Amino acid sequence: MNWKAIKHSAIGTSHAKFGKDCQDAAYFEIHPYGLIAAVSDGAGSATHSDLGSRIATQVACGHLKKWLCFKTPKLDVPSVEMARDLFEAVLEEIEIELTVKADSLGVPVRELSCTLIACVATSRWICAMQVGDGLFVYRSEKEIEYSLMFKPVKGEYINETDFVTSKNAIDSLQVQSFEWDPGFICMATDGIEKVSVRMSDWSPHAPFFKPFDDYIQPGGTTAGESNFLEEFLNSERLNAKTDDDKTMLIAAPRSYETIENFPI
Amino acid sequence: MPVGLPEFVENPENRCPVVLVLDTSGSMSGAPIEALTKGVRTFREALLKDEQASLRVEIAIVTFGPVKLAQDFVTIDHFTPPELKADGTTPMGEALTYALELVEQRKQTYRSNGLQYYRPWVFLITDGAPDSTSPWRQAASVIQNADATKKIIFFGVGVEGADMNVLRQITPTERPPMLLNGLDFGALFSWLSASMIRVSGSQVGAAQVELPPIGWGTVSV
């Protein structure tokens, strides 16, 4: 099974106003056996969280890719314990890389604080993780409903969350691993939360996600590849609702156009 | 195949609660209470100018003495500043305890209605000393604990004649009480509204919201 994925990050109007960079990052790789994707939101008050989020997403995907390469058999769903071990290892590697970077900049590692949402999705199963807030919404192939993989971590207050650099990152880490027929994935940072999810019960608002779902499915509009997403994230309509950075990564499975045999 | 536009969900705004605990005892009568009343109006007007803040900031006013709920929590766009009358004693401890309970109840209301909220502010303004019978020490320890555990953020402001010694024992150690410059409530409330605007717009990881500089008072040492 192949995958089609598109990502875009747009700077928030408040960040642009104060001359700050976009602190969000997203990264994905399409591997012969599945999709590896990650999205990260740098902490607003951290001076280098734009670097932090970039490092976190790239390190996460690198680690997950290596793991997937060596996993046998590929099509067996990892147990939740195995997935937890995997994602804890991802967090440890990120911590090391962030610390190295922080040292080279002469700043404490908390200046690279960021959240992280990541996954490995194959034709038979998906395993996913989340530290902090942001959204991971998915739809199974034959379903029409959208589901939320994890409840975003908010402290008591709406402007609080956990970060990969937090002391309690491992405790706060949420993990899922289950069999599924993939239909659609959307990973987003919290700038998108309030327009896409009903915050009283965290239920995804289908009319928000459906256009992106339609767009990325085979037969969806292919003119202007990533423009739909990019235009939306920079739209006045969206910026009227949120002045935060906004990132979305959307993906859907594709069957291979030519049949190839991959050793499993 | 044309793709439709993503439809937005209408979520209620996040709430930013602030309680003003105002000394309306006899000593405030005349110029002080007038200036205070005008200050509260300034607060409202400044917040109304910021669209996001006017929908998010909720204000409650507790006056003393006697302890009275002059204004229950209301969003700024529905707030009419009450007429403040100076007349009475200074049951500061009771007023503070009442204000803290008010905040906790409000948080419960938010939670049961699925509303998200920011850390509540409790703002005490007094020109005197608590009545000798007022359990202010008890209130002080509850306040310090609540502030330390981030349940609230507490500010104490003394107007000329206030017992700053007492205030210093009430406010958290890292946020000593301020002494207002004369009766410049206008500047105080402009600062408070500017701070509320920053807090109500603050994003995740902005637990340290940078507040505007304090030009309306001095820190008592």
Side-chain angles (χ1 to χ4, degrees), chain A residues 159-230:
Chain A
N159 58 342
E160 292 182 335
T161 192
D162 289 328
F163 300 109
V164 296
T165 44
S166 307
K167 285 197 172 59
N168 68 334
I170 299 277
D171 289 332
S172 161
L173 169 66
Q174 300 186 74
V175 170
Q176 286 258 45
S177 182
F178 52 86
E179 289 179 330
W180 81 321
D181 292 321
F184 170 74
I185 283 174
C186 174
M187 294 157 78
T189 53
D190 74 330
I192 297 294
E193 271 171 13
K194 78 183 249 200
V195 297
S196 63
V197 165
R198 192 168 61 200
M199 288 172 100
S200 55
D201 60 359
W202 295 106
S203 59
H205 189 59
F208 175 86
F209 292 99
K210 189 151 195 321
F212 296 106
D213 195 343
D214 290 343
Y215 177 71
I216 196 125
Q217 296 297 343
T221 178
T222 51
E225 281 284 297
S226 64
N227 280 1
F228 179 65
L229 185 57
E230 187 177 337

Side-chain angles (χ1 to χ4, degrees), chain A residues 38-101:
Chain A
V39 151
S40 169
D41 185 349
S45 52
T47 50
H48 293 83
S49 61
D50 54 330
L51 278 179
S53 61
R54 239 175 287 153
I55 291 171
T57 48
Q58 287 175 17
V59 168
C61 290
H63 191 117
L64 294 171
K65 185 167 91 169
K66 245 183 278 178
W67 172 80
L68 185 61
C69 275
F70 288 110
K71 183 187 185 302
T72 55
K74 301 257 189 286
L75 294 181
D76 279 8
V77 60
S79 66
V80 174
E81 291 74 33
M82 198 168 148
R84 180 161 281 275
D85 286 342
L86 167 64
F87 289 122
E88 284 186 9
V90 167
L91 287 180
E92 276 159 24
E93 192 182 336
I94 289 173
E95 173 84 28
I96 291 169
E97 292 299 326
L98 291 181
T99 307
V100 165
K101 192 65 177 177

